[in-house]
Amino acid sequence: MKEFCGTSEITGARFSIYPMSDRFVEIILSSLKEVDTSKVWMGTDDVSTCVRGRSEHVFDVVKTIFLNASKDGDHVVLNATFSNGCPGDSAGDTFMAEDSVLMNHELTKKISQEVATQFALYPLGIPGYMDVIMEQIKTVEQQGVFNGGVHYASRLDGDANKVFTALESAFEGARKSDSSHIVMTVTMSANSPTRKEGQ
Amino acid sequence: MKEFCGTSEITGARFSIYPMSDRFVEIILSSLKEVDTSKVWMGTDDVSTCVRGRSEHVFDVVKTIFLNASKDGDHVVLNATFSNGCPGDSAGDTFMAEDSVLMNHELTKKISQEVATQFALYPLGIPGYMDVIMEQIKTVEQQGVFNGGVHYASRLDGDANKVFTALESAFEGARKSDSSHIVMTVTMSANSPTRKEGQ
Ligand SMILES: [Ca+2]
């Protein structure tokens, strides 16, 4: 669908943080206060938050907000849809001029948080999308957090920083494919009281 | 990607319910207890629940669980990915032999619940996926709950039963397109204390 596609390489994420707690408003607000969002465009409504900019900063900001929200031990879930190459996607383009230095790396590298994650890749516009998905599953398998497939998703378990690195490399790998529009959905759970049960 | 595709017309949803409450375990368990799942295959792990069967029963079960969880006024969010035509998708095929009578309709039709929803359609495997999306947005616009586009999603506001009808018709409409693999993501929020703000 090249005729619909902008030339912008902007990446976006639409995401929400769900603290399973009566204190959810406080947890969300404080997680947003402790993140440096100076290199991304950000907008929030009553359903979700949207972050747009260079891919590395989008991942950096989403990861930081999730780690901030979960670091005190509350059961918190992140739901995010990452997107690159969405037709007509150009608002926020000025943020593409930012450099690559991650604004929250010093903060997040110190946070150790076990997470259970399910993700799915959707490379749009090409008949060979399953090949792109399989290739990126192989990429993720090399990162030490892959934990098999479930219906409609793949599972990643381990430290949140490592899981985010795996997610980002799958997304970036898929961007190099024939597909000009990559979507990736992520559900990431921290501090769940439910121990893992089999499917 | 016809060579990867099964012939099964089975629909699946991988979803989670997030009650923003200290009582989240109790709310989730009681919402699961009050739903008739006899016409679908269902499996739950520590991250999400997967329901598979005839499309109408999958929507019926997801809607009922969400309405059960939110009907007492707690702030509850549903996150769901609906899928049809996923390559290799055949487990649970026996449930395709069920009839079309909805098992939870008598329960849910009595529940009136305002929701704010963001959804996105991803018709895979075809270059013309944007045409399929645009056509289904038109379908949804006729249902009285469409509330415009946001980055990476479309917005639906109104009564949950009406919003679910709109979502189901967009999904079913997309299934009739050239794409043999349709994915739809839904984020639906009930009883949020945040009033709607502009993007
Ligand atoms: Ca079909």
Side-chain angles (χ1 to χ4, degrees), chain B residues 89-104:
Chain B
D89 221 14
S90 62
D93 269 6
T94 53
F95 288 95
M96 295 305 285
E98 300 288 346
D99 65 32
S100 280
V101 179
L102 300 180
M103 299 309 284
N104 300 283

Side-chain angles (χ1 to χ4, degrees), chain A residues 118 150 155 194 197-199, chain B residues 14 43-49:
Chain A
Q118 289 169 352
V150 293
R155 180 156 182 133
T194 318
E197 301 166 67
Q199 262 268 292
Chain B
R14 182 164 285 285
T44 296
D45 61 34
D46 56 332
V47 179
S48 59
T49 293

Side-chain angles (χ1 to χ4, degrees), chain A residues 26-97:
Chain A
E26 184 188 329
I27 293 167
I28 290 170
L29 291 180
S30 102
S31 74
L32 289 168
K33 207 159 55 182
E34 293 161 34
V35 59
D36 186 330
T37 60
S38 57
K39 290 184 180 172
V40 294
W41 177 94
M42 189 154 111
T44 296
D45 60 35
D46 57 331
V47 179
S48 59
T49 293
C50 184
V51 174
R52 290 158 58 81
R54 290 174 66 119
S55 216
E56 59 268 40
H57 296 311
V58 168
F59 279 93
D60 179 60
V61 164
V62 173
K63 178 172 82 172
T64 305
I65 293 171
F66 173 70
L67 285 177
N68 282 343
S70 59
K71 72 183 179 208
D72 293 334
D74 295 291
H75 176 28
V76 175
V77 174
L78 164 72
N79 238 283
T81 298
F82 294 87
S83 179
N84 180 277
C86 188
D89 220 14
S90 62
D93 269 7
T94 53
F95 288 95
M96 295 305 285

Side-chain angles (χ1 to χ4, degrees), chain A residues 14 48 52 118 127 151-152, chain B residues 1 14 48 52 118 151:
Chain A
R14 181 165 287 283
S48 59
R52 290 158 58 81
Q118 289 169 352
H151 282 302
Y152 312 117
Chain B
M1 218 57 198
R14 182 164 285 285
S48 59
R52 288 156 61 78
Q118 289 169 353
H151 282 301

